[in-house]
Amino acid sequence: MPGDGAVRVVRYGPDALLVDLAGAGQVRALDDALRSAPPAGAVDVVPAARTVLLRFGSSSAADAAVDAVAAAARAASRATGRPGSADRRPADAMELPVRYDGPDLAEVARLTGLTPEEVVRRHAASTYTVAFGGFIPGFAYLTGLDPALHVPRRATPRERVPAGAVAVAGEYAAVYPAATPGGWRLLGTCDVPLFDVDRDPPALLRPGTRVRFVPADDAPPSTPVAAPAPVAPPTPAPAGVEVLATGPLALVEDAGRSGLAAVGVGRSGAADAGARRLANRLVGNRADAAVLEVLLGGLELAFPGGGVVALAGAEVPATVDGVPVAPHTATRVPAGAVLRTGSATHGLRLTVAVRGGVDVAPVLGSRATDRLAGIGPAPLRPGDVLAVGSAVGAAAQPWPDPPRAWPSASSPAVLRVLPGPRADWFPDGALDALVAAAWTVAPASDRVAVRLAGPALPRLDRGELPSEGLVPGAVQVPPDGLPVVFGPDHPVTGGYPVLAVLDAPSRDVAAQLRPGDAVRFVPVPGRTGR
């Protein structure tokens, strides 16, 4: 990959590029340049602390853009430092009230050699500036943290950080706008809503905004910020599809959102994209039609006016009024009949397509449910009635049906990987160690990530990696050495190095993994990642 001094452009999985830069000024300049003149095929630009991530619609588009992106990065590097290039900042700082009741307050005091009271005083004394957004919608990386409070992330991220948690990690401070996994140190709680899809703009904290944290006892009464409106269940519609039972979890999903990662809104969409495409093609839907994604089966749908359905993904027995339904086949459901699915015999997620598509109100341009961000239609509940749309593209089309190899104790699931962008954060041979090891899917796995148990991978002691963009299928290695394979609802940015990235078909394989499944990685032949 081309490079010029502090500028470096590397491949990041099958369809993305990551640009390394010297600092925030170059990041802002390159981000501005790419947004004003985006490379052909680019679907997302994600600025971060010292990098810019570009995602493309295809691998060929990423290949074709390398030279142009490298040239734009060099131009941005030269442009910074010129007179007038500094950002203008607003004069006033937004005040956010904080209750300093965080579970990590005592630990931060121990790590810094301060008392808890001094940690609170120093944290509240600073004025912060939003450097960039990311991770999840409304999450803002705040610069200006007192150097005495610079502490590393937790070695093992929490599986759930509550909404409103006020946190620090490395040189940054932040407030978590929604409940999510996270590895930052939690100092307190702020009740001000930071992201609302019905607000314009939806993010309260935007690049350039100045912020002060005020201890709750000292904070003056403030004008309330409207809380995000709860997501309404699907609106009943005549002659639609009535939900009788959902199983453990049933979601509406489509191809996801693009172009919003810079404000912390990830792509999301169906976890098994291949199953979504297959089911839609079988019933003759357009590629963008929304489908149902059902965890482990147990779905029951009534069709007052009839319909046509197709099942793909996990192997789940199904019937229409007691008559078995074959998978990977369009099936007509008579008026008044009920589709019932049993429990999955293989795999994790069943995709159900209805001819015409599931017609729920789009949120930020998509009908996808993003579990991490809390954006999109609410999970289905018994009694919901789903409207059926008109997203029909053609007559139902058959699809070649090669048998899927499901994992077993003697035959692990195979995930094909490309080298990741952060090989320099690992000793030589780390990728070989990932490939050679036997891995098992850990229980704490979901649409955000598949977490693996096995031998800890070695990492070099290089301190804290500045937060940077993530892609689906990224294999991130936290300090505990246990890989985390990101799924469709992954955070937009993250702060642990990425050793490898799944190819696109392997993301579908990962979507069907259950806790306890055996996994092994194999390299994609002929790809170096550079």
Side-chain angles (χ1 to χ4, degrees):
M1 285 290 180
D4 182 27
V7 174
R8 186 180 72 129
V9 181
V10 296
R11 283 301 295 267
Y12 193 168
D15 55 9
L17 303 175
L18 187 70
V19 185
D20 276 320
L21 297 157
Q26 292 184 14
V27 168
R28 183 67 60 84
L30 179 58
D31 180 45
D32 289 345
L34 294 174
R35 291 185 186 281
S36 61
V43 296
D44 248 322
V45 179
V46 189
R50 295 179 180 85
T51 61
V52 175
L53 169 69
L54 290 93
R55 288 195 62 195
F56 293 82
S58 67
S59 179
S60 59
D63 288 336
V66 170
D67 290 338
V69 171
R74 289 192 291 268
S77 179
R78 291 191 295 268
T80 53
R82 292 176 182 170
S85 64
D87 294 332
R88 293 182 179 180
R89 304 296 185 192
D92 297 328
M94 178 182 297
E95 293 189 347
L96 297 178
V98 180
R99 297 189 306 276
Y100 283 96
D101 55 2
D104 296 326
L105 181 58
E107 177 68 5
V108 171
R110 185 188 67 79
L111 290 171
T112 58
L114 304 171
T115 65
E117 293 75 16
E118 181 67 7
V119 170
V120 170
R121 189 193 69 77
R122 287 175 178 264
H123 184 264
S126 297
T127 298
Y128 302 85
T129 302
V130 178
F132 59 96
F135 183 52
I136 59 173
F139 191 96
Y141 291 81
L142 305 175
T143 58
L145 181 66
D146 188 319
L149 301 183
H150 290 190
V151 291
R153 295 176 177 86
R154 291 165 52 91
T156 301
R158 284 184 171 90
E159 294 177 17
R160 186 183 185 278
V161 174
V166 177
V168 294
E171 63 188 283
Y172 296 107
V175 181
Y176 282 80
T180 173
W184 291 36
R185 310 277 181 171
L186 310 184
L187 300 184
T189 307
C190 173
D191 294 330
V192 176
L194 300 184
F195 188 85
D196 181 354
V197 295
D198 296 320
R199 188 167 58 205
D200 185 17
L204 185 65
L205 303 181
R206 301 178 298 281
T209 303
R210 299 208 310 164
V211 176
R212 289 190 63 247
F213 293 111
V214 180
D217 292 342
D218 302 334
S222 58
T223 302
V225 178
V231 178
T235 303
V241 178
E242 183 180 356
V243 179
L244 304 180
T246 63
L249 180 68
L251 306 173
V252 178
E253 297 292 348
D254 60 11
R257 301 170 180 85
S258 59
L260 297 169
V263 295
V265 179
R267 187 177 184 90
S268 189
D272 188 338
R276 176 187 59 80
R277 291 191 298 268
L278 168 57
N280 271 330
R281 179 170 175 175
L282 289 169
V283 298
N285 282 346
R286 295 198 310 260
D288 62 349
V291 300
L292 301 182
E293 180 178 287
V294 184
L295 189 70
L296 292 171
L299 181 73
E300 296 184 11
L301 301 176
F303 289 76
V308 178
V309 300
L311 279 57
E315 291 185 5
V316 178
T319 61
V320 171
D321 281 358
V323 178
V325 172
H328 302 181
T329 303
T331 299
R332 183 166 296 280
V333 183
V338 175
L339 169 71
R340 291 183 171 88
T341 66
S343 298
T345 56
H346 295 94
L348 185 65
R349 294 181 171 94
L350 171 69
T351 297
V352 179
V354 179
R355 182 166 172 81
V358 177
D359 189 12
V360 297
V363 177
L364 299 178
S366 169
R367 294 177 171 87
T369 302
D370 185 333
R371 297 282 283 168
L372 176 66
I375 291 176
L380 299 187
R381 297 178 298 181
D384 288 344
V385 177
L386 302 170
V388 175
S390 57
V392 177
Q397 303 175 58
W399 190 286
D401 188 18
R404 191 168 218 173
W406 299 106
S408 66
S410 60
S411 180
V414 174
L415 301 179
R416 290 160 48 98
V417 291
L418 302 158
R422 293 299 171 208
D424 53 337
W425 281 68
F426 300 89
D428 292 343
L431 188 58
D432 293 335
L434 176 75
V435 169
W439 303 99
T440 303
V441 177
S445 297
D446 53 19
R447 281 177 50 89
V448 175
V450 174
R451 301 172 189 275
L452 299 177
L457 295 173
R459 281 183 27 167
L460 297 176
D461 185 7
R462 297 195 56 184
E464 292 284 307
L465 176 70
S467 292
E468 59 190 24
L470 290 170
V471 299
V475 182
Q476 194 182 70
V477 183
D480 64 8
L482 298 180
V484 176
V485 182
F486 282 113
D489 291 352
H490 67 84
V492 171
T493 58
Y496 301 126
V498 172
L499 177 61
V501 185
L502 304 190
D503 68 3
S506 294
R507 297 202 296 261
D508 294 344
V509 175
Q512 297 295 350
L513 293 175
R514 298 185 182 194
D517 280 348
V519 175
R520 67 184 180 93
F521 294 94
V522 299
V524 174
R527 294 297 296 270
T528 65
R530 301 280 172 180

